[in-house]
Every structure is written in C-alpha cells, then in structure tokens.
Amino acid sequence: MCGIVGYVGPQPALEVVVNGLARLEYRGYDSAGVAVLGGGSLRTEKRAGKLANLRKALEERPISGDGAGIGHTRWATHGAPNDVNAHPHVDNDRRVAIVHNGIIENFAALRMELEEKGCKFLSETDTEVAAHLLSSEMAERGGDLPAAMRAVCKRLEGAFTLVATSVDDPGLVVAARRNSPLVVGRGEGENFLASDVAAFIAHTREAVELGQDQVVELRADSVAVTDYDGNPVEVNEYHVDWDASAAEKGGYDYFMLKEIVEQPRAVADTLLGRVTVDGQLTLDEMRLSPEDLRSVEKIVIIACGTSYHAGLIAKYAIEHWCRIPCEVEVASEFRYRDPILDQQTLVIAISQSGESMDTLMAVRYAREQRARVLAICNVNGSTIPRESDGVLYTHAGPEVGVAATKTFLTQLAACYLIGLYLAQVRGLKFGDEINTVIAQLATMPEQVERVLGTVEPVRELARSLADTDTVLFLGRHVGYPVAMEGALKLKELAYMHAEAFAAGELKHGPIALIEDGLPVVVVVPSPRGRSVLHDKIVSNIQEVRARGARTIVIAEEGDESVRPYSDVLIEIPAVPTLLQPIVSTIPMQVFACELALAKGNDVDQPRNLAKSVTVE
Ligand code: M6R
C-alpha cells in the first residue's frame, strides 16, 4: 500500500521519479506527489487522484531538480485523499520533505508534543509528524539527515517506510523501514529506492534487500545501510530475473488482460525444473529438509483474499494425497483465536506480494509458537519469505493489475507441488502415482491455453449482464473455492453484489435469494471423478432453475448431463478433479474483467483497493 520512489543521480530526478511512480501506481492511487531539490530549495507538487492529475499539474507548473528526488502514490489511511493530505509532507521551514508508507500508530501523541513546541500542522495525516520530527532532530544534529532519521525511527510505533530528502544535503536521499517494503536499485553513478523493483527496472536490475529496522543513505555513487543505532549492516544483493517489458502492457489496454493471457507461461515457469532426471520431485529452494517435513503432524494455511482461495483448494489436495490434517484460515483472524501450534505444525503462508501485513503478522505469530513456516510467494526478497523458514517461489513474473489472476494459478501449481513433495518424502504414495500427477500437472499450461482460446462467448455473456445487480456462484469440493474466487473478482472489479455458496448449503437459507432471471454461475465437478458430487450439483442446478435463476454452468467438455439445465454452458477441458481449479477459474476471471470493462471501470486500479495491503 502506497508506492514510494527515491532517486539520486545525473538524470532529471523529476522524470525518473514520476516514471517510477507510474510503475507503482497499482499500490495506491488516491493521490500522488513529488519533491525535488533545486536551486537550494525544495520543490514539491502533489495532487489528489491518479498520477495523471499530478502529471497535468506538473505540465502546467513545471518544477525541476538537480539530482535527488522522492515521490509517492497514496492509498489513504489517515486523512481524506485530497491535495493537502497527499505526500510529500514538509516541515515548517521547508528544509525536509518526506514520504511514507504504513501507519504511525503513536502519531496523535507525537502531534500533540510537536504542536506544543510550536509546529504548525497542515494535514490530517500521521506522516506529517515524521516531517516535523525529522526537522527538529536534524536541528539538534547539525543537519545530519541519516542520524536524524535513525532518531526519528526510534520514536515511531507502527509500520513504516520513510524516504526523505533535505536542502541541507542535496545529493542525498535517506530511507528507513520497519514492517513495510523498501528495496534499493544499484545503478552506474546513480541509485534508486522503491517499494518494489518495478519502479527502477527500466534503469537497473541489480537490487539490494533491506532488513527490518534499517536505514539507508543513498548517494549517486554509494549506498550505505545501518541499523537504527548507526552500526553498518551486511546487505543481500540480487539480480532481478525479469526486465522492464514484463511490467509493461505490451499492446493490451489493461495489465489484467495481458496477465490473463500470460497464464500458460506463468504456470509452466512455476513447474519448471521441479523434477530430476530420475523422476523425483525436487524443491531445492524450499529450505526445509525432508526430516522437517516427515515430522509434520498438522498443516495450517494462512493467507488473504485470492491467496486464501488458493489455500482452500490446497487443503483438498494435501489431505487427499498426504493424509495430514490441514486447516485454512484467513490470516487477519489467525493469531486472535489462540491457534494450537507446535514444532510439528507446518504453517504455509501464501502471499503473492510477500508483504500483506495480515499474513506477515500471522507468520510471526506462528514462528513465535515454534511452528515451521513455509511461504509461497511471487516476489523475490519480500518480507514474508525472508521471515519464513522456507519458501517456494511462484514464477508468474510481475503482476501489476490489482486483481490477482496469473499469480492465483501459479499459487495453485505451487500448492500441488508441495502436496506431492510431502507425499514423496513421507513415502505415502508410490513414485509412479506421484509421477502420474506430475505428468498431469505438466499438461496444465496447454489446458489453460485451450481455455483462453474459447472465452469469447464468456465475454459476450459478461457484456450482456452489465446492468445486473447481483450474481451468485455455486460450487462443491474444489469448485467451491473457485466459486468464491469468481465472486471476489466480480466484487472487486465490477463493484457488484456477488456471493459464493457451497452448492449443498444453498437450501439452508441462501436459496431464498433466487428470483426470476438472477444469474447463478455453477462450477460443476467432473462426472468422471466423484460422480456422486457431480450428480448432487446437477440437482442443485435444477433447484435454482426451478425458482427462476438463469444458470451459467461451467462444466467439463462432453458432460451432456448438465446441458438441459444450462441457460449458458461454458465448457472447460477434462482434467483430474483436484486440478480442475486451474482451468475452471479462467472463465470467471474473463467474466469479471469484461463485465467491469462494460461498466466503464478501470480493471487495473479498482476503486478503494491496492495491490499490496501493508496495513492491518
Ligand atoms: O499479496 P497477497 O497475495 O498477500 O494479497 C492478498 C490479497 O490482498 C489479494 O489476493 C487480493 O484479494 C486480490 N486483489 C484479489 O484479486
């Protein structure tokens, strides 16, 4: 939440910073602002709304700087999303400018203290206290911005990334982090700071991870990192394995459209290199030994939103293949219910961004309780995998659209791999059984490609439903979380009432919602797998249809038994029951995206949302 950019170097700082913000806008788009240093003074501009408003303001009233600049794109927490509350915030003498991601929890007490000392506050934000505090700490430290930043951080409670610049040292940008993302980009004679490597990937692919409670001093030719006491710390450098083109729309009107189409590649890349020549599944990067995994007695999956839905599906596969009890819990609820965890518990934390605060806090709690934590994550070097005992990275590439699409499919692939690997190391299945499922998994990119080739009728259907108020989704077994994912996509993109039910639960109340013409999407399990499930859902389809629902049925090719009860039939390839979510989710993604576009919504930046939710 909130995107932050910092730059020091010979290029025009304003341009570098604004272009960096454009790549981070998915993190928040309530307002945007910049500060550059020029002619011995701070030059700032900030505007409510999307980055386009800031760009327009900068065209009308250009500002320029001499080499250092900072910028921010906001997801509002404290104070309405207006021009005044937009970042950067400055001190009363306009000597320092600061941008912030996170929440300063003790801001009210600090504000009172600063006001008593005569500081004049302009905004309602928690961030502004950091600007005034920084200025006062600098005054006490002879203008030493890094020392002042360290002192400020020690006084703040909560989660924050802070990036600041000062007229007293125009070639310097200083940043600090606690529980909020920040990464350094190392260039030739220039250096970058950002919430995410996407902001500087057009300039450099060499990055530096920053740990918790660290302060970084960025100059054109140096990067120095210390802890809050000023002690130098070792940093981990890495090469980003994707380039700028991966974070561009590549001819599509929206990132989401591109990311849906990228799914076959994303799934293939996630499966790549996981099987040795002798047919053994190998998850080397995981950092948990076979002994660790053999001692697991219970699995708890924690995640939010779409990642939570991936976890719900994983439960079916893991319990079926490994016979280990598996619980799945929304991360924001997990630590508040006093969960029973011990060293024999494996907690799997699923997070695309690796930065969701709810999931991070659940991971920390689990580790405090001595459970082992395995992360499934798409962002290299992000906080959740860094703080976990092990990690399995998905290789979806950068996902810019706020709605998770390709990362969901790759999370499913990763969950299946973990389930099969657990079965392998625990000796629960014969090697050839595992190899059969691996071979089936290996065909999934091709199956995803096939589904993508048949979704035009889904688009037409979605456009025809643009004026609908409500859509219900039904599923059974792994189709139930798929239905939940379909409903979530429609809510977040089309701003409609969309709700998913376990099809068998409908008759216990929700069936009262059915009225004439109400669209009901039903995910039908394969008739070849558990036929009893299939037959039950066919009855459920008839029950809603008898009450006037318009049935939109997603079923396996050749499943003729559902045709008579389907007002619209969407066919998907026949795949094993447990793997069906990889193909059945796609029509839902396309449906939600197209319906939202038909309503004129921005599918990459839906209202009120942000891609990476770094507050609790
Ligand atoms: O980065 P994470 O996977 O931890 O994010 C979790 C959710 O915020 C995320 O999946 C959200 O629900 C998506 N926008 C849904 O499309």
Side-chain angles (χ1 to χ4, degrees), residues 499-558:
E499 220 176 328
F501 300 103
E505 188 63 13
L506 203 69
K507 57 189 176 296
H508 298 288
I511 201 163
L513 292 168
I514 307 290
E515 54 188 24
D516 239 15
L518 182 85
V520 178
V521 179
V522 189
V523 188
V524 179
S526 165
R528 296 165 305 112
R530 303 205 187 159
S531 58
V532 61
L533 269 179
H534 175 270
D535 297 350
K536 293 234 175 343
I537 212 162
V538 174
S539 304
N540 300 141
I541 299 173
Q542 293 179 59
E543 286 155 16
V544 293
R545 203 156 187 263
R547 288 161 178 83
R550 183 173 179 213
T551 55
I552 300 164
V553 176
I554 300 177
E556 186 176 295
E557 286 162 342

Short mmCIF file of all heavy atoms in Angstrom, two decimals, residues 499-558:
data_model
loop_
_atom_site.label_atom_id
_atom_site.label_comp_id
_atom_site.label_asym_id
_atom_site.label_seq_id
_atom_site.Cartn_x
_atom_site.Cartn_y
_atom_site.Cartn_z
N GLU A 499 -21.80 -13.29 -4.61
CA GLU A 499 -21.62 -14.11 -3.42
C GLU A 499 -21.52 -15.58 -3.81
O GLU A 499 -22.23 -16.03 -4.72
CB GLU A 499 -22.85 -13.91 -2.53
CG GLU A 499 -22.48 -13.84 -1.08
CD GLU A 499 -23.68 -13.55 -0.20
OE1 GLU A 499 -24.59 -12.84 -0.64
OE2 GLU A 499 -23.69 -14.07 0.92
N ALA A 500 -20.65 -16.28 -3.13
CA ALA A 500 -20.47 -17.70 -3.45
C ALA A 500 -21.01 -18.57 -2.31
O ALA A 500 -20.88 -18.21 -1.14
CB ALA A 500 -18.99 -18.01 -3.65
N PHE A 501 -21.59 -19.69 -2.69
CA PHE A 501 -22.07 -20.64 -1.69
C PHE A 501 -21.62 -22.04 -2.06
O PHE A 501 -21.50 -22.38 -3.24
CB PHE A 501 -23.60 -20.65 -1.64
CG PHE A 501 -24.19 -19.32 -1.29
CD1 PHE A 501 -24.75 -18.52 -2.27
CD2 PHE A 501 -24.17 -18.86 0.02
CE1 PHE A 501 -25.28 -17.28 -1.95
CE2 PHE A 501 -24.71 -17.62 0.34
CZ PHE A 501 -25.26 -16.83 -0.65
N ALA A 502 -21.41 -22.85 -1.02
CA ALA A 502 -21.27 -24.29 -1.27
C ALA A 502 -22.65 -24.74 -1.75
O ALA A 502 -23.66 -24.45 -1.09
CB ALA A 502 -20.89 -24.99 0.03
N ALA A 503 -22.68 -25.38 -2.90
CA ALA A 503 -23.98 -25.64 -3.53
C ALA A 503 -24.94 -26.38 -2.59
O ALA A 503 -26.15 -26.13 -2.59
CB ALA A 503 -23.78 -26.43 -4.82
N GLY A 504 -24.40 -27.25 -1.75
CA GLY A 504 -25.25 -28.01 -0.85
C GLY A 504 -25.83 -27.16 0.28
O GLY A 504 -26.82 -27.53 0.91
N GLU A 505 -25.22 -26.03 0.52
CA GLU A 505 -25.62 -25.15 1.62
C GLU A 505 -26.80 -24.26 1.21
O GLU A 505 -27.49 -23.70 2.06
CB GLU A 505 -24.41 -24.31 2.03
CG GLU A 505 -24.53 -23.46 3.26
CD GLU A 505 -24.74 -24.26 4.55
OE1 GLU A 505 -24.55 -25.49 4.54
OE2 GLU A 505 -25.14 -23.65 5.55
N LEU A 506 -27.00 -24.17 -0.08
CA LEU A 506 -27.99 -23.24 -0.63
C LEU A 506 -29.38 -23.42 0.01
O LEU A 506 -30.03 -22.46 0.41
CB LEU A 506 -28.09 -23.49 -2.14
CG LEU A 506 -28.61 -22.33 -2.96
CD1 LEU A 506 -27.60 -21.20 -2.96
CD2 LEU A 506 -28.91 -22.80 -4.37
N LYS A 507 -29.77 -24.67 0.11
CA LYS A 507 -31.12 -24.97 0.61
C LYS A 507 -31.28 -24.63 2.08
O LYS A 507 -32.38 -24.62 2.60
CB LYS A 507 -31.44 -26.44 0.36
CG LYS A 507 -30.44 -27.40 0.98
CD LYS A 507 -30.69 -28.82 0.52
CE LYS A 507 -29.63 -29.78 1.05
NZ LYS A 507 -28.27 -29.52 0.54
N HIS A 508 -30.16 -24.32 2.76
CA HIS A 508 -30.24 -23.97 4.18
C HIS A 508 -30.46 -22.47 4.40
O HIS A 508 -30.25 -21.96 5.48
CB HIS A 508 -28.98 -24.44 4.90
CG HIS A 508 -28.81 -25.93 4.86
ND1 HIS A 508 -29.59 -26.79 5.58
CD2 HIS A 508 -27.98 -26.70 4.12
CE1 HIS A 508 -29.24 -28.05 5.32
NE2 HIS A 508 -28.26 -28.01 4.43
N GLY A 509 -30.83 -21.77 3.37
CA GLY A 509 -31.12 -20.33 3.54
C GLY A 509 -30.95 -19.51 2.27
O GLY A 509 -31.90 -18.88 1.81
N PRO A 510 -29.72 -19.54 1.68
CA PRO A 510 -29.49 -18.61 0.56
C PRO A 510 -30.42 -18.80 -0.63
O PRO A 510 -30.58 -17.88 -1.43
CB PRO A 510 -28.03 -18.91 0.16
CG PRO A 510 -27.43 -19.54 1.36
CD PRO A 510 -28.52 -20.27 2.07
N ILE A 511 -31.07 -19.95 -0.73
CA ILE A 511 -31.95 -20.18 -1.89
C ILE A 511 -33.09 -19.15 -1.92
O ILE A 511 -33.67 -18.88 -2.97
CB ILE A 511 -32.47 -21.64 -1.90
CG1 ILE A 511 -32.93 -22.01 -3.31
CG2 ILE A 511 -33.53 -21.89 -0.84
CD1 ILE A 511 -33.07 -23.49 -3.56
N ALA A 512 -33.34 -18.55 -0.77
CA ALA A 512 -34.38 -17.50 -0.73
C ALA A 512 -34.00 -16.31 -1.60
O ALA A 512 -34.86 -15.50 -1.98
CB ALA A 512 -34.60 -17.05 0.72
N LEU A 513 -32.71 -16.17 -1.93
CA LEU A 513 -32.27 -15.05 -2.77
C LEU A 513 -32.65 -15.22 -4.23
O LEU A 513 -32.66 -14.26 -5.00
CB LEU A 513 -30.73 -14.91 -2.71
CG LEU A 513 -30.11 -14.48 -1.39
CD1 LEU A 513 -28.60 -14.69 -1.44
CD2 LEU A 513 -30.44 -13.03 -1.10
N ILE A 514 -32.92 -16.46 -4.61
CA ILE A 514 -33.15 -16.73 -6.04
C ILE A 514 -34.48 -16.10 -6.47
O ILE A 514 -35.52 -16.28 -5.84
CB ILE A 514 -33.21 -18.26 -6.32
CG1 ILE A 514 -31.96 -18.95 -5.77
CG2 ILE A 514 -33.41 -18.53 -7.81
CD1 ILE A 514 -30.67 -18.67 -6.47
N GLU A 515 -34.39 -15.33 -7.57
CA GLU A 515 -35.62 -14.77 -8.14
C GLU A 515 -35.51 -14.82 -9.64
O GLU A 515 -34.44 -15.13 -10.17
CB GLU A 515 -35.86 -13.35 -7.62
CG GLU A 515 -34.69 -12.43 -7.84
CD GLU A 515 -34.85 -11.09 -7.16
OE1 GLU A 515 -35.61 -11.00 -6.18
OE2 GLU A 515 -34.22 -10.14 -7.64
N ASP A 516 -36.55 -14.47 -10.29
CA ASP A 516 -36.61 -14.60 -11.75
C ASP A 516 -35.44 -13.91 -12.45
O ASP A 516 -35.20 -12.73 -12.22
CB ASP A 516 -37.92 -13.97 -12.24
CG ASP A 516 -38.74 -14.99 -12.97
OD1 ASP A 516 -38.42 -16.20 -12.83
OD2 ASP A 516 -39.68 -14.59 -13.68
N GLY A 517 -34.70 -14.64 -13.24
CA GLY A 517 -33.65 -14.05 -14.07
C GLY A 517 -32.33 -13.85 -13.36
O GLY A 517 -31.35 -13.39 -13.98
N LEU A 518 -32.24 -14.18 -12.06
CA LEU A 518 -30.98 -13.96 -11.33
C LEU A 518 -29.87 -14.86 -11.90
O LEU A 518 -30.02 -16.08 -11.92
CB LEU A 518 -31.17 -14.27 -9.85
CG LEU A 518 -29.91 -14.01 -9.01
CD1 LEU A 518 -29.84 -12.55 -8.58
CD2 LEU A 518 -29.89 -14.90 -7.78
N PRO A 519 -28.75 -14.27 -12.34
CA PRO A 519 -27.68 -15.13 -12.87
C PRO A 519 -27.01 -15.93 -11.75
O PRO A 519 -26.60 -15.36 -10.74
CB PRO A 519 -26.68 -14.14 -13.49
CG PRO A 519 -27.39 -12.83 -13.55
CD PRO A 519 -28.42 -12.83 -12.47
N VAL A 520 -26.91 -17.22 -11.94
CA VAL A 520 -26.22 -18.10 -10.98
C VAL A 520 -25.16 -18.90 -11.75
O VAL A 520 -25.49 -19.66 -12.66
CB VAL A 520 -27.21 -19.06 -10.28
CG1 VAL A 520 -26.47 -19.98 -9.32
CG2 VAL A 520 -28.29 -18.27 -9.54
N VAL A 521 -23.90 -18.67 -11.38
CA VAL A 521 -22.79 -19.38 -12.03
C VAL A 521 -22.53 -20.64 -11.22
O VAL A 521 -22.36 -20.57 -9.99
CB VAL A 521 -21.53 -18.49 -12.07
CG1 VAL A 521 -20.37 -19.24 -12.72
CG2 VAL A 521 -21.81 -17.18 -12.81
N VAL A 522 -22.47 -21.77 -11.88
CA VAL A 522 -22.26 -23.04 -11.16
C VAL A 522 -21.01 -23.73 -11.71
O VAL A 522 -20.88 -23.93 -12.92
CB VAL A 522 -23.47 -23.98 -11.32
CG1 VAL A 522 -23.33 -25.18 -10.39
CG2 VAL A 522 -24.79 -23.25 -11.07
N VAL A 523 -20.10 -24.06 -10.79
CA VAL A 523 -18.88 -24.79 -11.19
C VAL A 523 -19.16 -26.28 -10.95
O VAL A 523 -19.35 -26.71 -9.81
CB VAL A 523 -17.67 -24.36 -10.34
CG1 VAL A 523 -16.39 -24.98 -10.90
CG2 VAL A 523 -17.56 -22.84 -10.30
N VAL A 524 -19.16 -27.03 -12.02
CA VAL A 524 -19.56 -28.45 -11.93
C VAL A 524 -18.32 -29.35 -11.88
O VAL A 524 -17.46 -29.27 -12.75
CB VAL A 524 -20.44 -28.82 -13.15
CG1 VAL A 524 -20.84 -30.28 -13.10
CG2 VAL A 524 -21.66 -27.93 -13.21
N PRO A 525 -18.25 -30.22 -10.89
CA PRO A 525 -17.12 -31.16 -10.85
C PRO A 525 -17.22 -32.18 -11.99
O PRO A 525 -18.30 -32.40 -12.52
CB PRO A 525 -17.27 -31.86 -9.50
CG PRO A 525 -18.52 -31.38 -8.88
CD PRO A 525 -19.20 -30.42 -9.79
N SER A 526 -16.10 -32.78 -12.29
CA SER A 526 -16.07 -33.76 -13.37
C SER A 526 -16.99 -34.95 -13.05
O SER A 526 -16.98 -35.46 -11.93
CB SER A 526 -14.64 -34.26 -13.54
OG SER A 526 -14.65 -35.43 -14.32
N PRO A 527 -17.76 -35.44 -14.05
CA PRO A 527 -18.59 -36.63 -13.80
C PRO A 527 -17.71 -37.88 -13.70
O PRO A 527 -18.15 -38.92 -13.20
CB PRO A 527 -19.48 -36.71 -15.03
CG PRO A 527 -18.79 -35.92 -16.09
CD PRO A 527 -17.94 -34.90 -15.39
N ARG A 528 -16.45 -37.76 -14.16
CA ARG A 528 -15.57 -38.93 -14.15
C ARG A 528 -14.91 -39.14 -12.80
O ARG A 528 -14.45 -40.21 -12.48
CB ARG A 528 -14.46 -38.80 -15.19
CG ARG A 528 -14.96 -38.76 -16.63
CD ARG A 528 -13.86 -38.26 -17.54
NE ARG A 528 -13.36 -36.97 -17.09
CZ ARG A 528 -12.14 -36.77 -16.59
NH1 ARG A 528 -11.28 -37.76 -16.51
NH2 ARG A 528 -11.78 -35.56 -16.20
N GLY A 529 -14.77 -38.06 -12.02
CA GLY A 529 -14.09 -38.16 -10.74
C GLY A 529 -15.02 -38.77 -9.72
O GLY A 529 -15.26 -39.97 -9.68
N ARG A 530 -15.59 -37.87 -8.89
CA ARG A 530 -16.54 -38.39 -7.89
C ARG A 530 -17.94 -38.16 -8.43
O ARG A 530 -18.49 -37.06 -8.29
CB ARG A 530 -16.35 -37.63 -6.60
CG ARG A 530 -14.93 -37.76 -6.13
CD ARG A 530 -14.89 -37.58 -4.67
NE ARG A 530 -13.51 -37.54 -4.25
CZ ARG A 530 -13.11 -37.01 -3.14
NH1 ARG A 530 -13.98 -36.46 -2.32
NH2 ARG A 530 -11.85 -37.02 -2.80
N SER A 531 -18.52 -39.17 -9.03
CA SER A 531 -19.79 -38.96 -9.73
C SER A 531 -20.88 -38.51 -8.76
O SER A 531 -21.79 -37.79 -9.12
CB SER A 531 -20.19 -40.22 -10.47
OG SER A 531 -20.30 -41.27 -9.54
N VAL A 532 -20.73 -38.90 -7.47
CA VAL A 532 -21.76 -38.52 -6.51
C VAL A 532 -21.82 -36.99 -6.35
O VAL A 532 -22.88 -36.40 -6.26
CB VAL A 532 -21.53 -39.26 -5.17
CG1 VAL A 532 -20.21 -38.91 -4.55
CG2 VAL A 532 -22.64 -38.99 -4.19
N LEU A 533 -20.65 -36.38 -6.38
CA LEU A 533 -20.58 -34.91 -6.28
C LEU A 533 -21.25 -34.28 -7.49
O LEU A 533 -22.01 -33.31 -7.39
CB LEU A 533 -19.11 -34.48 -6.32
CG LEU A 533 -18.35 -34.33 -5.04
CD1 LEU A 533 -16.92 -33.93 -5.36
CD2 LEU A 533 -19.01 -33.27 -4.18
N HIS A 534 -20.91 -34.84 -8.63
CA HIS A 534 -21.44 -34.31 -9.89
C HIS A 534 -22.96 -34.38 -9.89
O HIS A 534 -23.65 -33.41 -10.19
CB HIS A 534 -20.84 -35.11 -11.06
CG HIS A 534 -21.41 -34.73 -12.37
ND1 HIS A 534 -22.51 -35.33 -12.91
CD2 HIS A 534 -21.05 -33.74 -13.24
CE1 HIS A 534 -22.80 -34.77 -14.06
NE2 HIS A 534 -21.93 -33.79 -14.28
N ASP A 535 -23.48 -35.52 -9.52
CA ASP A 535 -24.93 -35.71 -9.57
C ASP A 535 -25.64 -34.77 -8.60
O ASP A 535 -26.70 -34.23 -8.88
CB ASP A 535 -25.29 -37.16 -9.24
CG ASP A 535 -24.70 -38.10 -10.29
OD1 ASP A 535 -24.21 -37.60 -11.31
OD2 ASP A 535 -24.69 -39.33 -10.05
N LYS A 536 -25.00 -34.53 -7.46
CA LYS A 536 -25.62 -33.65 -6.46
C LYS A 536 -25.68 -32.22 -7.01
O LYS A 536 -26.66 -31.51 -6.81
CB LYS A 536 -24.82 -33.69 -5.16
CG LYS A 536 -24.89 -35.03 -4.45
CD LYS A 536 -25.36 -34.85 -3.04
CE LYS A 536 -25.58 -36.11 -2.26
NZ LYS A 536 -25.71 -37.38 -2.89
N ILE A 537 -24.64 -31.81 -7.68
CA ILE A 537 -24.66 -30.42 -8.17
C ILE A 537 -25.64 -30.27 -9.33
O ILE A 537 -26.26 -29.22 -9.50
CB ILE A 537 -23.25 -29.89 -8.49
CG1 ILE A 537 -23.23 -28.38 -8.20
CG2 ILE A 537 -22.82 -30.13 -9.90
CD1 ILE A 537 -21.87 -27.78 -8.06
N VAL A 538 -25.82 -31.32 -10.09
CA VAL A 538 -26.82 -31.25 -11.16
C VAL A 538 -28.20 -31.01 -10.52
O VAL A 538 -29.00 -30.21 -11.02
CB VAL A 538 -26.79 -32.52 -12.04
CG1 VAL A 538 -27.94 -32.51 -13.05
CG2 VAL A 538 -25.45 -32.64 -12.77
N SER A 539 -28.44 -31.66 -9.39
CA SER A 539 -29.72 -31.43 -8.69
C SER A 539 -29.79 -29.98 -8.21
O SER A 539 -30.84 -29.33 -8.30
CB SER A 539 -29.85 -32.34 -7.46
OG SER A 539 -29.70 -33.66 -7.85
N ASN A 540 -28.66 -29.47 -7.69
CA ASN A 540 -28.65 -28.08 -7.21
C ASN A 540 -28.95 -27.11 -8.34
O ASN A 540 -29.65 -26.10 -8.15
CB ASN A 540 -27.31 -27.73 -6.57
CG ASN A 540 -26.95 -28.61 -5.39
OD1 ASN A 540 -25.81 -28.99 -5.21
ND2 ASN A 540 -27.95 -28.96 -4.57
N ILE A 541 -28.44 -27.41 -9.53
CA ILE A 541 -28.71 -26.53 -10.69
C ILE A 541 -30.22 -26.53 -10.96
O ILE A 541 -30.84 -25.48 -11.17
CB ILE A 541 -27.94 -27.01 -11.95
CG1 ILE A 541 -26.43 -26.97 -11.71
CG2 ILE A 541 -28.30 -26.13 -13.15
CD1 ILE A 541 -25.61 -27.60 -12.84
N GLN A 542 -30.79 -27.71 -10.91
CA GLN A 542 -32.24 -27.79 -11.18
C GLN A 542 -33.04 -27.04 -10.11
O GLN A 542 -34.04 -26.39 -10.42
CB GLN A 542 -32.66 -29.25 -11.23
CG GLN A 542 -32.04 -29.95 -12.44
CD GLN A 542 -32.42 -31.40 -12.49
OE1 GLN A 542 -33.59 -31.75 -12.56
NE2 GLN A 542 -31.44 -32.27 -12.46
N GLU A 543 -32.57 -27.11 -8.87
CA GLU A 543 -33.30 -26.42 -7.79
C GLU A 543 -33.36 -24.90 -8.02
O GLU A 543 -34.39 -24.28 -7.83
CB GLU A 543 -32.61 -26.69 -6.44
CG GLU A 543 -32.83 -28.09 -5.89
CD GLU A 543 -31.72 -28.53 -4.93
OE1 GLU A 543 -30.94 -27.68 -4.45
OE2 GLU A 543 -31.62 -29.75 -4.69
N VAL A 544 -32.22 -24.34 -8.43
CA VAL A 544 -32.24 -22.87 -8.62
C VAL A 544 -32.97 -22.50 -9.90
O VAL A 544 -33.65 -21.48 -9.98
CB VAL A 544 -30.81 -22.24 -8.61
CG1 VAL A 544 -30.18 -22.36 -7.25
CG2 VAL A 544 -29.90 -22.79 -9.68
N ARG A 545 -32.85 -23.37 -10.90
CA ARG A 545 -33.52 -23.08 -12.18
C ARG A 545 -35.03 -23.13 -12.00
O ARG A 545 -35.77 -22.30 -12.54
CB ARG A 545 -33.07 -24.11 -13.21
CG ARG A 545 -33.23 -23.64 -14.63
CD ARG A 545 -32.31 -24.39 -15.52
NE ARG A 545 -32.33 -23.83 -16.85
CZ ARG A 545 -33.08 -24.33 -17.82
NH1 ARG A 545 -33.85 -25.36 -17.62
NH2 ARG A 545 -33.07 -23.77 -19.02
N ALA A 546 -35.48 -24.08 -11.19
CA ALA A 546 -36.92 -24.21 -10.95
C ALA A 546 -37.47 -22.95 -10.29
O ALA A 546 -38.67 -22.66 -10.37
CB ALA A 546 -37.17 -25.41 -10.04
N ARG A 547 -36.59 -22.18 -9.65
CA ARG A 547 -37.03 -20.95 -8.97
C ARG A 547 -36.74 -19.70 -9.78
O ARG A 547 -36.76 -18.59 -9.26
CB ARG A 547 -36.39 -20.89 -7.58
CG ARG A 547 -37.00 -21.91 -6.65
CD ARG A 547 -36.17 -22.24 -5.45
NE ARG A 547 -36.89 -23.19 -4.59
CZ ARG A 547 -36.92 -24.52 -4.79
NH1 ARG A 547 -36.25 -25.05 -5.80
NH2 ARG A 547 -37.62 -25.30 -3.99
N GLY A 548 -36.41 -19.90 -11.05
CA GLY A 548 -36.29 -18.76 -11.97
C GLY A 548 -34.88 -18.31 -12.28
O GLY A 548 -34.69 -17.38 -13.06
N ALA A 549 -33.85 -18.92 -11.65
CA ALA A 549 -32.48 -18.47 -11.89
C ALA A 549 -32.07 -18.69 -13.33
O ALA A 549 -32.57 -19.61 -14.00
CB ALA A 549 -31.51 -19.23 -10.97
N ARG A 550 -31.19 -17.80 -13.81
CA ARG A 550 -30.59 -18.01 -15.13
C ARG A 550 -29.27 -18.73 -14.89
O ARG A 550 -28.34 -18.15 -14.29
CB ARG A 550 -30.36 -16.65 -15.79
CG ARG A 550 -29.81 -16.79 -17.16
CD ARG A 550 -29.75 -15.46 -17.85
NE ARG A 550 -29.19 -15.65 -19.17
CZ ARG A 550 -28.45 -14.77 -19.79
NH1 ARG A 550 -28.21 -13.59 -19.22
NH2 ARG A 550 -27.97 -15.02 -20.98
N THR A 551 -29.15 -19.96 -15.28
CA THR A 551 -27.98 -20.77 -14.90
C THR A 551 -26.84 -20.64 -15.93
O THR A 551 -27.04 -20.83 -17.13
CB THR A 551 -28.35 -22.25 -14.74
OG1 THR A 551 -28.98 -22.69 -15.94
CG2 THR A 551 -29.29 -22.45 -13.57
N ILE A 552 -25.68 -20.30 -15.41
CA ILE A 552 -24.46 -20.20 -16.22
C ILE A 552 -23.56 -21.32 -15.70
O ILE A 552 -23.06 -21.24 -14.57
CB ILE A 552 -23.80 -18.82 -16.05
CG1 ILE A 552 -24.79 -17.73 -16.49
CG2 ILE A 552 -22.48 -18.75 -16.81
CD1 ILE A 552 -24.42 -16.34 -16.01
N VAL A 553 -23.42 -22.35 -16.48
CA VAL A 553 -22.81 -23.58 -15.97
C VAL A 553 -21.42 -23.78 -16.58
O VAL A 553 -21.25 -23.75 -17.79
CB VAL A 553 -23.72 -24.78 -16.30
CG1 VAL A 553 -23.07 -26.09 -15.87
CG2 VAL A 553 -25.07 -24.60 -15.59
N ILE A 554 -20.43 -23.95 -15.69
CA ILE A 554 -19.06 -24.23 -16.14
C ILE A 554 -18.84 -25.73 -15.93
O ILE A 554 -18.82 -26.21 -14.79
CB ILE A 554 -18.03 -23.41 -15.34
CG1 ILE A 554 -18.32 -21.92 -15.52
CG2 ILE A 554 -16.61 -23.76 -15.76
CD1 ILE A 554 -17.41 -21.01 -14.72
N ALA A 555 -18.71 -26.46 -17.00
CA ALA A 555 -18.63 -27.92 -16.88
C ALA A 555 -17.63 -28.48 -17.89
O ALA A 555 -17.29 -27.83 -18.87
CB ALA A 555 -20.00 -28.54 -17.11
N GLU A 556 -17.23 -29.69 -17.59
CA GLU A 556 -16.24 -30.37 -18.43
C GLU A 556 -16.82 -30.67 -19.82
O GLU A 556 -18.00 -31.02 -19.93
CB GLU A 556 -15.89 -31.67 -17.69
CG GLU A 556 -14.82 -32.46 -18.29
CD GLU A 556 -14.53 -33.66 -17.38
OE1 GLU A 556 -14.07 -33.46 -16.25
OE2 GLU A 556 -14.77 -34.79 -17.82
N GLU A 557 -15.99 -30.56 -20.83
CA GLU A 557 -16.39 -30.91 -22.20
C GLU A 557 -16.99 -32.32 -22.20
O GLU A 557 -16.42 -33.22 -21.56
CB GLU A 557 -15.16 -31.00 -23.11
CG GLU A 557 -14.55 -29.70 -23.49
CD GLU A 557 -13.12 -29.88 -24.02
OE1 GLU A 557 -12.48 -30.93 -23.79
OE2 GLU A 557 -12.66 -28.94 -24.64
N GLY A 558 -18.06 -32.49 -22.90
CA GLY A 558 -18.65 -33.83 -23.01
C GLY A 558 -19.60 -34.16 -21.88
O GLY A 558 -20.20 -35.24 -21.87
#
